[in-house]
Amino acid sequence: KIRMTRTTKTTPKQRTTNTTASNESTDVASSNDSSLPSSVCITKKQQEALLDAAVSQVVRDEIFPKKQFIVLESELDVSSKFAEKCLKAMGMEKSEWYTVSNLIRKKLTRRRNNAQSDVRKSLQKYLEENGVDSIDLQQVLEGRKNQDTFHWFLDTIASAVVGVTAADQLKYVQRPNEWLSRSLEAFSYLCLENFFEWAKREVLEKPPRGTNQGLWTRDGRGKRKNQGWSQDGIRRYNALCQLVRADRATYQSEDEAYLEKKKKEKQNLELVKLQRRQELIQQREQGLEAAYDDFSSDGGSSDSDSDD
């Protein structure tokens, strides 16, 4: 346990006119301190819970949007740029790094696995509802060049990686290149490519659980070291990062086009909601007659009729 103790010194009252104000202040301070606990105890378990929550928040909000993999041990070295940025985000000293480094890796792996799971679910659901031939993978991988498939990718895959709730709050007010970092966009393409054939098999064949695997997440050399991904998958991810960089530079207007489309969709959605609300009000008030009132009428303001 960590025990923090607060002590207060008080000065006895003196019957002198020049120290009256000082004595009154001291009396008030003594009265307030007497109502405070003499010590505050934080158990080791509570400390660990606080640290776990702080790391989870930093991984979710700061790290994962810009870094999805920790492959080399040197990336966790205390002198690395990654360590420096993590410590700054958490307000910790350099000497404290090795108390959180493994926890950061664990939380990052969990966040990435959750994103991968959400992509699988979203992709499988779409193919079940629209057919396994409804999406051409190669067209999607061409990025912004094909506007329709690019918009599908943002709505179905990238939104699942970012988190549907967060994406729904952002994509109506920001361009994709603002709410989706370059590395996270590349990771979204990587997940799509990795699980595309997996999702098709799930829809068509429904194989026994555990027998259907992704392209780069199946059992193989380097899988455990690369946190579930083969080294070929990591190489593909690095290549996708470069492709996304070039794609954004070549088709800059497509991000604005997507945002404008989303704004119109939201306006139309709000209009439909308004129309439905008005219809419900009309149905509820059908056959009812409003009560007369002088306040809203166009007549005089007198409360009584006048005789000629």
Side-chain angles (χ1 to χ4, degrees), residues 205-223:
E205 304 170 14
K206 301 188 182 302
R209 187 172 183 177
T211 61
N212 195 10
Q213 297 179 325
L215 182 61
W216 295 300
T217 51
R218 66 183 62 176
D219 294 332
R221 182 177 180 271
K223 181 189 173 196

Side-chain angles (χ1 to χ4, degrees), residues 58-235:
V58 169
V59 168
R60 183 188 68 239
D61 298 338
E62 304 289 338
I63 301 176
F64 180 72
K66 296 182 179 180
K67 182 177 180 63
Q68 295 79 47
F69 295 97
I70 298 176
V71 177
L72 304 177
E73 286 300 320
S74 59
E75 295 181 78
L76 290 176
D77 190 84
V78 68
S79 60
S80 67
K81 195 71 175 178
F82 176 68
E84 178 184 338
K85 290 192 172 184
C86 288
L87 291 171
K88 183 178 179 181
M90 291 185 292
M92 299 179 71
E93 298 296 330
K94 203 170 185 179
S95 59
E96 301 174 287
W97 172 242
Y98 288 115
T99 65
V100 296
S101 58
N102 285 330
L103 183 59
I104 288 175
R105 171 156 49 186
K106 177 182 176 182
K107 293 292 183 181
L108 182 61
T109 300
R110 181 178 299 175
R111 178 64 185 89
R112 186 184 62 251
N113 289 341
N114 289 340
Q116 293 168 196
S117 177
D118 290 341
V119 168
R120 290 198 305 267
K121 293 175 183 177
S122 181
L123 181 58
Q124 182 179 348
K125 180 181 178 182
Y126 183 88
L127 295 182
E128 286 175 344
E129 294 175 351
N130 299 275
V132 294
D133 297 323
S134 57
I135 287 296
D136 187 323
L137 177 61
Q138 296 307 314
Q139 285 188 357
V140 179
L141 293 176
E142 289 179 352
R144 292 162 175 78
K145 178 180 178 181
N146 301 310
Q147 188 178 90
D148 290 342
T149 54
F150 176 61
H151 290 185
W152 173 86
F153 163 77
L154 292 172
D155 290 335
T156 308
I157 306 301
S159 292
V161 171
V162 173
V164 175
T165 301
D168 283 344
Q169 294 175 347
L170 296 172
K171 62 187 179 183
Y172 295 104
V173 294
Q174 292 182 357
R175 296 185 297 273
N177 55 13
E178 293 176 307
W179 56 266
L180 191 65
S181 70
R182 185 172 65 247
S183 64
L184 200 56
E185 184 175 337
F187 179 70
S188 300
Y189 280 118
L190 181 73
C191 288
L192 170 63
E193 200 169 357
N194 184 67
F195 295 117
F196 191 75
E197 292 300 326
W198 173 93
K200 291 174 69 174
R201 288 192 295 268
E202 286 291 322
V203 174
L204 294 175
E205 304 170 14
K206 301 188 182 302
R209 187 172 183 177
T211 61
N212 195 10
Q213 297 179 325
L215 182 61
W216 295 300
T217 51
R218 66 183 62 176
D219 294 332
R221 182 177 180 271
K223 181 189 173 196
R224 183 174 182 180
K225 181 180 180 181
N226 299 323
Q227 302 163 2
W229 289 78
S230 69
Q231 186 58 213
D232 287 339
I234 300 299
R235 293 191 187 97

